[in-house]
Amino acid sequence: MSDSADAPDSSIGDGTRRADSMAVASFVLGLVGLLVLNVVLGPMAIALACIALRTGTARRGRALLGLGLGFADLLVLAALTAANGTVVWNFG
């Protein structure tokens, strides 16, 4: 018979693991957002990076890169809108 007091508390590691996952997801979304769907992926990258930084991720650098890439996504969106008058890439 297993007693709950004898079991190790795995919830402590889960919070850090979740924050690390959010930091990596922020980085990936920000990187992909430079090419496609920057209007959606940029704000998502910013939000995930802020949550990861607030919850104390061990991957602080990755979260900061995700934050920077999220803002870069929005800058690309602004540049596209100013140049073409639309949010669509135009190569020609």
Side-chain angles (χ1 to χ4, degrees), residues 34-88:
L34 287 174
L35 300 174
V36 294
L37 293 174
N38 48 6
V39 70
V40 174
L41 297 180
M44 286 176 61
I46 292 169
L48 284 174
C50 290
I51 293 169
L53 289 169
R54 183 167 291 165
T55 56
T57 181
R59 297 178 185 242
R60 183 172 171 80
R62 189 76 42 96
L64 290 173
L65 281 172
L67 186 65
L69 286 170
F71 282 118
D73 291 347
L74 296 179
L75 288 175
V76 167
L77 175 66
L80 284 173
T81 304
N84 297 333
T86 182
V87 294
V88 178

Side-chain angles (χ1 to χ4, degrees), residues 10-19:
S10 64
S11 65
I12 295 171
D14 288 343
T16 303
R17 189 175 312 132
R18 194 171 298 138

